[in-house]
Amino acid sequence: MKKWINENVVLIVGLGLMGGSYARGLKKLGYRVNAIDSNPDSIEYALSQGWIDAGTDAPTKEFIGQADAVIFALYPKKLMEWIEQYQDAFQPGIYISDVTGIKGSIVYDIQKNLRKDVEYIPAHPIAGREKSGVQYADPSVFHDANYIITPTEQNTKEAVRWCEQLARLLGFRTVTVMSPEEHDEMIGYVSQLTHCIAVSLMTCKDIEHLCDYTGDSFRDLTRIANINDEMWSELFLMNKEALLCQMEGFIREITDLKEMIANEEKEEIRKKMRLSTKRREAFDR
C-alpha cells in the first residue's frame, strides 16, 4: 500500500475553504503542498501565509506531474471537466481523491473515463463553515468530524486504506465506507434537507429587524442558511431524486405534527417529542 510520507508532494486543485483547509493541514504535517486555482489572488494569499509551497492559476503538465497525490476541492461538474482535460499529466500509478458532496452522478463517469493507471477514490469530508474562500481555511474543522469514502468495484483495497489514512492524518474522528448510492441518500437527509429547511425558514417570512427578536433556537436552526448558492444549487440538482425523497419524508412528518396540534392531541405530540429527544441524545454523548 502507498504510504503518506513527508516527502510526498500533494496537489490541491481548488483552493477555497476546503482545499485551503486540506493544504494547511497537510503543510502543518510536513508535506510539500502545491495548489492550482483559477483565482490568482487565492494562490497569492496561500503563498503569503505559508500554507502552500507553490501554486498557479495556469496549470501545466510539468506542474501537475510533480504530484504524488491529488485532492480535488471543486464543484462536481468542474471536477469532471478538470480530470477530463488534464488527466494525461498525472504520474502513472497516482491516487486522486476529492471532497465532493455528491457521488452517484459523478463517480462512475469519472472512473469510466479515467486512465487505467490512475485510481480515483471518492471521498466526502463532512466538515466546513458557512464562509467561503481560502482566507477562512482552517484544518481544525476536520478535528472530530466525520469522513465518508465511497468506493466502487473499480477501487482496490489498498487505495481505500490510503484514503482512510489521509482522513486519520487530518484528524477526522469517524471514517465510514459506503456505496455512492448510500452516501447520496444519507447526505440528502442529513445535509441537503437541512439546508433546504434553513433556507425556507429564512425566506418564508419577511420581517424587518428579525435578528432583534430571535433567540438561540432560531439562530442555530438557520446558521447554514448563509449559503453558497452556486455550489448548493448544483448539489441539490445533481442529487435531485434522493433529495426530493427526503423532502417528501419531512413534509409527511411536519404535516403529522401540524394535524396533532390542530386536533390538540397532546399525548401524541409528547410522544413525538420524546422520540426526538431520545434520538438527539446520541449527539450529546
Side-chain angles (χ1 to χ4, degrees), residues 148 184 198 209-210 265:
I148 301 175
D184 288 354
H209 305 303
L210 179 63
E265 298 173 1

Side-chain angles (χ1 to χ4, degrees), residues 30-41:
Y31 295 89
R32 177 175 175 84
V33 180
N34 292 349
I36 295 172
D37 194 275
S38 59
N39 184 350
D41 292 338

Side-chain angles (χ1 to χ4, degrees), residues 55 90 119 125 129 135 150 162-163 166 220 280 283:
F90 293 146
E119 188 165 350
R129 290 178 168 173
Q135 65 270 30
T150 63
W162 171 89
C163 196
L166 167 63
D220 290 345
R280 185 60 178 80
F283 290 85

Side-chain angles (χ1 to χ4, degrees), residues 124 126 186-196 224 232 236:
H124 183 192
I126 314 299
M186 183 59 66
I187 289 302
Y189 176 58
V190 301
S191 178
Q192 294 178 349
L193 175 62
T194 55
H195 281 78
C196 288
I224 55 176
W232 281 97
F236 286 176

Side-chain angles (χ1 to χ4, degrees), residues 207-272:
I207 302 175
E208 191 175 3
H209 305 303
L210 179 63
C211 60
D212 294 335
Y213 315 134
T214 57
D216 289 342
S217 59
F218 191 86
R219 293 190 186 96
D220 290 345
L221 280 169
T222 58
R223 176 180 59 83
I224 55 176
N226 184 358
I227 194 167
N228 181 331
D229 58 283
E230 181 182 2
M231 179 182 75
W232 281 97
S233 61
E234 184 171 316
L235 293 174
F236 286 176
L237 294 176
M238 294 186 75
N239 197 35
K240 181 175 73 172
E241 290 186 11
L243 176 55
L244 288 176
C245 181
Q246 301 306 322
M247 293 178 79
E248 289 294 335
F250 179 77
I251 290 168
R252 287 194 300 270
E253 195 68 18
I254 200 166
T255 299
D256 286 345
L257 182 57
K258 174 186 173 184
E259 292 176 355
M260 290 174 191
I261 294 170
N263 297 327
E264 298 188 12
E265 298 173 1
K266 183 176 180 179
E267 287 307 312
E268 290 301 312
I269 296 170
R270 292 185 65 191
K271 181 179 178 181
K272 187 179 288 290

Side-chain angles (χ1 to χ4, degrees), residues 103 116 132 147 157 162 188 200 214-216 225 255:
K103 296 303 177 191
K116 300 309 178 185
S132 60
Y147 187 92
K157 292 181 180 179
W162 171 89
S200 298
T214 57
D216 289 342
T255 299

